[in-house]
Short mmCIF file of all heavy atoms in Angstrom, two decimals:
data_model
loop_
_atom_site.label_atom_id
_atom_site.label_comp_id
_atom_site.label_asym_id
_atom_site.label_seq_id
_atom_site.Cartn_x
_atom_site.Cartn_y
_atom_site.Cartn_z
N LYS A 813 17.31 -12.57 10.28
CA LYS A 813 17.89 -12.33 8.95
C LYS A 813 17.66 -10.88 8.51
O LYS A 813 18.57 -10.21 8.02
CB LYS A 813 17.25 -13.30 7.96
CG LYS A 813 17.83 -13.28 6.56
CD LYS A 813 17.12 -14.34 5.72
CE LYS A 813 17.68 -14.41 4.32
NZ LYS A 813 16.96 -15.42 3.51
N LEU A 816 19.92 -8.51 10.65
CA LEU A 816 21.35 -8.54 10.35
C LEU A 816 21.67 -7.98 8.97
O LEU A 816 22.65 -7.25 8.80
CB LEU A 816 21.87 -9.98 10.47
CG LEU A 816 21.85 -10.58 11.88
CD1 LEU A 816 22.34 -12.02 11.86
CD2 LEU A 816 22.71 -9.75 12.83
N VAL A 817 20.83 -8.31 7.98
CA VAL A 817 21.09 -7.78 6.63
C VAL A 817 20.96 -6.26 6.64
O VAL A 817 21.76 -5.55 6.00
CB VAL A 817 20.11 -8.41 5.62
CG1 VAL A 817 20.20 -7.70 4.26
CG2 VAL A 817 20.42 -9.90 5.44
N VAL A 820 24.04 -4.42 7.78
CA VAL A 820 25.06 -4.22 6.75
C VAL A 820 24.81 -2.92 6.01
O VAL A 820 25.70 -2.09 5.83
CB VAL A 820 25.08 -5.41 5.77
CG1 VAL A 820 26.07 -5.17 4.64
CG2 VAL A 820 25.42 -6.71 6.50
N VAL A 885 19.27 -5.69 -4.55
CA VAL A 885 20.30 -6.72 -4.69
C VAL A 885 21.66 -6.13 -4.33
O VAL A 885 21.98 -5.02 -4.78
CB VAL A 885 20.31 -7.24 -6.15
CG1 VAL A 885 21.49 -8.17 -6.38
CG2 VAL A 885 19.00 -7.94 -6.47
N PRO A 886 22.48 -6.79 -3.51
CA PRO A 886 22.32 -8.12 -2.91
C PRO A 886 21.75 -8.10 -1.49
O PRO A 886 21.77 -9.12 -0.82
CB PRO A 886 23.75 -8.65 -2.90
CG PRO A 886 24.57 -7.43 -2.60
CD PRO A 886 23.88 -6.28 -3.31
N LEU A 887 21.26 -6.94 -1.03
CA LEU A 887 20.72 -6.85 0.33
C LEU A 887 19.21 -7.05 0.34
O LEU A 887 18.52 -6.59 1.25
CB LEU A 887 21.07 -5.48 0.94
CG LEU A 887 22.55 -5.14 1.03
CD1 LEU A 887 22.76 -3.78 1.70
CD2 LEU A 887 23.32 -6.21 1.78
N HIS A 888 18.71 -7.80 -0.63
CA HIS A 888 17.27 -8.01 -0.78
C HIS A 888 16.77 -9.27 -0.08
O HIS A 888 15.56 -9.47 0.02
CB HIS A 888 16.94 -8.15 -2.27
CG HIS A 888 17.50 -9.41 -2.88
ND1 HIS A 888 18.85 -9.58 -3.07
CD2 HIS A 888 16.91 -10.56 -3.29
CE1 HIS A 888 19.06 -10.78 -3.60
NE2 HIS A 888 17.90 -11.39 -3.73
N VAL A 889 17.67 -10.11 0.41
CA VAL A 889 17.31 -11.47 0.80
C VAL A 889 16.36 -11.52 2.00
O VAL A 889 15.68 -12.53 2.22
CB VAL A 889 18.57 -12.31 1.11
CG1 VAL A 889 19.38 -12.53 -0.16
CG2 VAL A 889 19.44 -11.62 2.17
N GLY A 1247 21.03 -18.46 -5.61
CA GLY A 1247 22.04 -18.81 -4.61
C GLY A 1247 22.36 -17.72 -3.62
O GLY A 1247 23.29 -17.87 -2.81
N PHE A 1248 21.57 -16.63 -3.63
CA PHE A 1248 21.87 -15.52 -2.71
C PHE A 1248 21.69 -15.92 -1.25
O PHE A 1248 22.46 -15.51 -0.39
CB PHE A 1248 21.00 -14.30 -3.03
CG PHE A 1248 21.56 -13.42 -4.10
CD1 PHE A 1248 20.98 -13.39 -5.36
CD2 PHE A 1248 22.68 -12.64 -3.86
CE1 PHE A 1248 21.50 -12.57 -6.36
CE2 PHE A 1248 23.21 -11.82 -4.84
CZ PHE A 1248 22.62 -11.79 -6.10
N ASP A 1249 20.65 -16.72 -0.99
CA ASP A 1249 20.44 -17.16 0.40
C ASP A 1249 21.62 -17.99 0.89
O ASP A 1249 22.09 -17.83 2.02
CB ASP A 1249 19.15 -17.96 0.51
CG ASP A 1249 17.93 -17.08 0.69
OD1 ASP A 1249 18.12 -15.85 0.82
OD2 ASP A 1249 16.81 -17.58 0.69
N LYS A 1250 22.10 -18.90 0.02
CA LYS A 1250 23.24 -19.73 0.41
C LYS A 1250 24.49 -18.87 0.58
O LYS A 1250 25.32 -19.13 1.44
CB LYS A 1250 23.48 -20.82 -0.62
CG LYS A 1250 22.38 -21.88 -0.65
CD LYS A 1250 22.68 -22.98 -1.66
CE LYS A 1250 21.60 -24.05 -1.64
NZ LYS A 1250 21.85 -25.11 -2.64
N LEU A 1251 24.62 -17.86 -0.28
CA LEU A 1251 25.77 -16.97 -0.18
C LEU A 1251 25.77 -16.26 1.17
O LEU A 1251 26.81 -16.19 1.85
CB LEU A 1251 25.75 -15.95 -1.31
CG LEU A 1251 26.84 -14.86 -1.28
CD1 LEU A 1251 28.21 -15.50 -1.44
CD2 LEU A 1251 26.60 -13.82 -2.36
N TRP A 1252 24.60 -15.75 1.56
CA TRP A 1252 24.52 -15.04 2.83
C TRP A 1252 24.65 -15.98 4.02
O TRP A 1252 25.37 -15.70 4.97
CB TRP A 1252 23.19 -14.27 2.92
CG TRP A 1252 23.24 -12.94 2.24
CD1 TRP A 1252 22.81 -12.64 0.99
CD2 TRP A 1252 23.79 -11.73 2.77
NE1 TRP A 1252 23.04 -11.32 0.70
CE2 TRP A 1252 23.64 -10.73 1.78
CE3 TRP A 1252 24.38 -11.38 3.97
CZ2 TRP A 1252 24.06 -9.43 1.95
CZ3 TRP A 1252 24.80 -10.07 4.15
CH2 TRP A 1252 24.64 -9.12 3.16
N ILE A 1253 23.93 -17.12 3.95
CA ILE A 1253 23.91 -18.03 5.10
C ILE A 1253 25.22 -18.80 5.23
O ILE A 1253 25.85 -18.82 6.29
CB ILE A 1253 22.71 -18.99 4.98
CG1 ILE A 1253 21.40 -18.21 5.05
CG2 ILE A 1253 22.76 -20.04 6.10
CD1 ILE A 1253 20.18 -19.02 4.72
N ASN A 1254 25.65 -19.42 4.11
CA ASN A 1254 26.87 -20.24 4.17
C ASN A 1254 28.13 -19.41 3.97
O ASN A 1254 29.19 -19.78 4.47
CB ASN A 1254 26.81 -21.35 3.11
CG ASN A 1254 25.63 -22.28 3.31
OD1 ASN A 1254 25.19 -22.48 4.43
ND2 ASN A 1254 25.10 -22.83 2.22
N GLY A 1255 27.99 -18.33 3.20
CA GLY A 1255 29.16 -17.51 2.93
C GLY A 1255 29.43 -16.50 4.01
O GLY A 1255 30.33 -16.66 4.83
N PHE A 1256 28.60 -15.45 4.04
CA PHE A 1256 28.84 -14.37 5.00
C PHE A 1256 28.57 -14.81 6.44
O PHE A 1256 29.42 -14.68 7.32
CB PHE A 1256 27.99 -13.16 4.63
CG PHE A 1256 28.36 -12.54 3.32
CD1 PHE A 1256 27.51 -12.61 2.24
CD2 PHE A 1256 29.59 -11.91 3.15
CE1 PHE A 1256 27.85 -12.05 1.02
CE2 PHE A 1256 29.95 -11.35 1.94
CZ PHE A 1256 29.07 -11.42 0.87
N ALA A 1257 27.35 -15.36 6.66
CA ALA A 1257 27.03 -15.78 8.03
C ALA A 1257 27.91 -16.95 8.45
O ALA A 1257 28.46 -16.98 9.56
CB ALA A 1257 25.55 -16.14 8.13
N GLY A 1258 28.04 -17.96 7.55
CA GLY A 1258 28.88 -19.11 7.88
C GLY A 1258 30.33 -18.73 8.07
O GLY A 1258 31.02 -19.23 8.97
N GLY A 1259 30.82 -17.82 7.21
CA GLY A 1259 32.19 -17.35 7.36
C GLY A 1259 32.40 -16.60 8.66
O GLY A 1259 33.44 -16.74 9.31
N SER A 1260 31.39 -15.82 9.04
CA SER A 1260 31.49 -15.10 10.31
C SER A 1260 31.52 -16.06 11.49
O SER A 1260 32.27 -15.87 12.45
CB SER A 1260 30.30 -14.14 10.46
OG SER A 1260 30.29 -13.19 9.42
N VAL A 1261 30.70 -17.13 11.41
CA VAL A 1261 30.70 -18.13 12.48
C VAL A 1261 32.05 -18.83 12.56
O VAL A 1261 32.60 -19.06 13.64
CB VAL A 1261 29.55 -19.14 12.26
CG1 VAL A 1261 29.68 -20.31 13.25
CG2 VAL A 1261 28.20 -18.47 12.42
N MET A 1262 32.61 -19.18 11.38
CA MET A 1262 33.92 -19.84 11.37
C MET A 1262 35.00 -18.92 11.93
O MET A 1262 35.88 -19.34 12.69
CB MET A 1262 34.28 -20.25 9.94
CG MET A 1262 35.57 -21.04 9.82
SD MET A 1262 35.88 -21.58 8.13
CE MET A 1262 34.50 -22.69 7.89
N LEU A 1263 34.93 -17.64 11.55
CA LEU A 1263 35.88 -16.67 12.09
C LEU A 1263 35.74 -16.56 13.60
O LEU A 1263 36.74 -16.47 14.33
CB LEU A 1263 35.65 -15.30 11.43
CG LEU A 1263 36.62 -14.18 11.81
CD1 LEU A 1263 38.04 -14.54 11.37
CD2 LEU A 1263 36.18 -12.87 11.16
N ALA A 1264 34.49 -16.60 14.09
CA ALA A 1264 34.26 -16.53 15.53
C ALA A 1264 34.83 -17.76 16.23
O ALA A 1264 35.41 -17.67 17.32
CB ALA A 1264 32.76 -16.40 15.82
#
Side-chain angles (χ1 to χ4, degrees):
K813 185 178 183 182
L816 293 178
V817 171
V820 176
V885 173
L887 301 182
H888 68 290
V889 293
F1248 274 108
D1249 275 355
K1250 291 182 178 178
L1251 175 64
W1252 277 97
I1253 296 170
N1254 300 330
F1256 295 111
S1260 300
V1261 171
M1262 185 177 295
L1263 184 63

